Amino acid sequence: MAFNIAEELKKLPARPGVYLMYNAKDEIIYVGKAVSLKNRVRQYFQSSKNKGLKIAQMVPQITCFEYIVTDSELEALVLECNLIKEYRPKYNTMLKDDKSYPFIRVTVQEKFPRVLFARQIKKDKSKYFGPYTSVRAIKKTIDLVKKLYCLRNCSKKLFMDQGEKRPCLYYHIHQCKAPCQGWITSEDYRQQVDDMMDFLNGNFQEVIKGLTVKMEHASEELRFEEACEYRDLIDSVRRLGEHQKISISSGEDWDVVALALNKEDGVVQVFFIRDGKMIGRDHFYLRVAIGEERSGVVLSFLKQFYAGTPFIPRELMISDDIEDQEVLEAWLSRKRGQKVHIKVPKKGSKGKLMKLAAHNAQIILYHDKERLKREEKRSIDAVKEIGRWLSIEPPERIEAYDISTISNFQSVGSMVVYEKGKPKRTDYRKFRIKFVEGLNDYASMEEVLSRRFRRGIDAERGFEKLPNLIMIDGGRGQVNAALKVLNKMRLKIPICGMVKDDHHRTRGIYFDNCEIPLDKNGEGFHLITRIQHETHRFAIEYHRLLRSKGQVHSVLDDIQGIGISRRKELLQHYQTLDEIRNASLEELRELPSMNARTARSVYNYFHKSENYEGKSASEDML
């Protein structure tokens, strides 16, 4: 039955929820939330001269809508964020890139804490510092504090392993006090950890003073190598301190969010202020719907960005007033676990900082706009050129395939996707060849394409969108294998092969039973070369991963019920396979993770001659 918009509008409930707008292709083009679904959705279809340009363009495309009722506006906000991230609708303002930020994690809940690199904040009672905008900088900082405060690197359970083995190399190079041997008390170690956290909070001067005293003392006693080490540490601390460009007297955690907007392009600049110091900044490109107001763009950014970042500061300073501020504050407060305030500073030190962030956003938008346009034009020109060579419409979606087989090891297939001349990595797929034995690239290609397009015909998620052009890494044989599959499935999609020369470089494309030479100076040739390299790289990486897994194989993996944890426990307890072989059934059952059934499987495996025949006593770890 046809969707009757007028009738469906009458059925809308006057309750909070989320609504989804669909076009004629059954694509979600807009996701929104409402305090009252009945009032909000009806507004789109009422005649009014005050509709914005975005709404005026979107409404004629709506063929149907659906809605999800929630218990509160806050729940609707959370659901809206999730749906926008999932479907990336055309008329929602979208972040063009998803970023995650690293943190420094201090495991204060442990008796002898460690300093670790972390990608997300977990509720594990650890202390987190950050977020930082540079992975390289955070790793350098971790290395520095370990040297300064002699904190352990290992993951040993010290209360179990203490004193069992000799101290590691870090003790001998004076970068650890060997808590594994009990040579430092937990109180003294904890004092070092507290000093280290004070350092991470920005107290650099005390550290520099202490290192300077040690350097001078070592120099006076003619221990020049040690003095040089202290000198290098002082330089590292000073360089780290130089990154603290801005200092705010209040000593609080803020994010400063400023928008620069130009028609369909937008840039948001974010300054990260932690404990009163700016620890970093980053910018984000936005795809903005035509006619979108600044307040709506800022609101969309806040919802998408803070839905994905694990750290929520106490205050958000934003460049524009927004709607639903109270609901957004409530949502952020729930994520943080404490009250979060959103403000629009106009004067004072906060106002100056906002102007600085806005100025930076404007500079980035101005300088990158021309570069992005040039890149987009090159991509469009390349796709058009490929279309001309093949006498087809410029292919919006290109899928490329390759088969990788080395030394008769497991064959794999790769599928990479380019849309509008740019890689769409979320649509990349890997295939492990299941039904072809031995080296047979043609049969392997048939299997990969059969599995891919069978899933596409069944509209399986991730495969439902079919390509406008298929590219195969190879010549006539590979193309004919692909055509065989498409003919069997009655699919009409152009297929071409990417042909290489004797030096393994792109030479031309094989299409319609002939090889088409390429203009090596054209954008189309460069795009085909990139696609061919990317397809090959993706296949090789997957193949390398499978080979590495296949080489790390233990005899214990062949025993039913033995996984990674039990295998590790057996090898730690018995050291060699012969010791496991000589263990009695009762001894095996005494291991903490071993139940009666699994112990019986291990015992039976090593006491059946056909299983253990030929296994050498020297075979210890594998």
Side-chain angles (χ1 to χ4, degrees), residues 309-326:
T309 183
F311 182 83
I312 310 295
R314 182 175 174 274
E315 289 188 2
L316 295 183
M317 305 297 168
I318 60 176
S319 56
D320 299 84
D321 291 302
I322 58 173
E323 295 181 0
D324 303 324
Q325 180 170 322
E326 291 182 2

Side-chain angles (χ1 to χ4, degrees), residues 230-285:
Y230 287 126
R231 179 202 61 194
D232 294 340
L233 286 174
I234 292 170
D235 289 341
S236 297
V237 173
R238 282 176 175 162
R239 282 197 299 271
L240 182 63
E242 287 173 359
H243 290 291
Q244 309 294 341
K245 300 292 184 183
I246 299 176
S247 180
I248 310 298
S249 58
S250 62
E252 296 176 353
D253 293 341
W254 306 344
D255 280 357
V256 180
V257 180
L259 170 68
L261 195 59
N262 185 359
K263 295 183 180 179
E264 297 181 21
D265 298 317
V267 170
V268 170
Q269 177 79 53
V270 183
F271 286 170
F272 301 104
I273 311 296
R274 299 295 177 263
D275 196 31
K277 298 180 177 63
M278 192 175 88
I279 64 168
R281 65 175 186 172
D282 210 343
H283 59 271
F284 302 85
Y285 296 101

